[in-house]
Amino acid sequence: MEYQLQILNASTAARLVPLYRELARHHNEVSEHFGGSFPGVPVEDQLCECVKDLSDGKARVAIIEEQGEPVAFCKVDVAGDRGYLDELAVLPGHRGRGLGSQLMDWADGVFRECGVRQVELRVVVGNDDARRFYERRGFLPSVLEMKRLQRDDR
């Protein structure tokens, strides 16, 4: 199998839809806290935000394709000397083949090129494989973020 890394722009970002859907499915599967509520907005809204970030020059996105089909992606944001690894996902049938590392190498290159001094990311509680992956790449836990859903008890 031959994989190719491609850089997306605002006009090609719609190719992310199946990857965003898989990321949502995966997060709902691994986290007992989401209960099917991830993401908090529809995938189409996530895509609109991504297109806006790409158009504004705030974000960069790379996908990895196999035979023209997207199988992995990474979205990074840069604000001054801070970088944010916003999203990184690899479809289940393609995990364990170094695609996540290839995307992280790409992201690290973007961060170096932009003069980023610190990179932040979030990992869904329960996504232990992702946590271990990022720890192998030098990331350490720094903050525990907590949330709750407000319920209408009327």
Side-chain angles (χ1 to χ4, degrees), residues 103-154:
L103 287 167
M104 278 299 307
D105 291 345
W106 168 81
D108 284 338
V110 170
F111 294 140
R112 273 192 303 279
E113 174 187 314
C114 294
V116 167
R117 296 174 43 90
Q118 178 176 311
V119 178
E120 298 176 14
L121 59 85
R122 292 181 180 181
V123 177
V124 169
V125 173
N127 197 350
D128 296 332
D129 290 341
R131 183 185 45 78
R132 285 189 293 273
F133 171 77
Y134 293 124
E135 286 174 348
R136 285 192 305 270
R137 299 292 301 217
F139 289 89
L140 300 170
S142 61
V143 173
L144 175 63
E145 180 178 302
M146 299 177 73
K147 297 180 182 182
R148 76 173 185 195
L149 297 175
Q150 284 297 100
R151 304 205 190 289
D152 186 5
D153 293 331
R154 289 187 253 171

Side-chain angles (χ1 to χ4, degrees), residues 3-72:
Y3 293 105
Q4 292 186 327
L5 188 138
Q6 302 286 329
I7 306 303
L8 294 186
N9 58 43
S11 66
T12 57
R15 304 204 59 224
L16 293 171
V17 169
L19 297 167
Y20 271 127
R21 290 194 196 291
E22 170 54 28
L23 185 61
R25 185 207 62 76
H26 178 70
H27 282 163
N28 283 305
E29 178 182 288
V30 300
S31 176
E32 64 189 60
H33 303 298
F34 285 129
S37 66
F38 186 89
V41 298
V43 167
E44 294 75 15
D45 291 354
Q46 284 183 293
L47 182 62
C48 286
E49 183 178 333
C50 180
V51 167
K52 181 181 181 324
D53 290 347
L54 285 166
S55 297
D56 293 346
K58 175 185 171 189
R60 297 191 195 181
V61 176
I63 62 170
I64 294 180
E65 301 175 322
E66 179 191 43
Q67 297 178 346
E69 293 299 316
V71 298

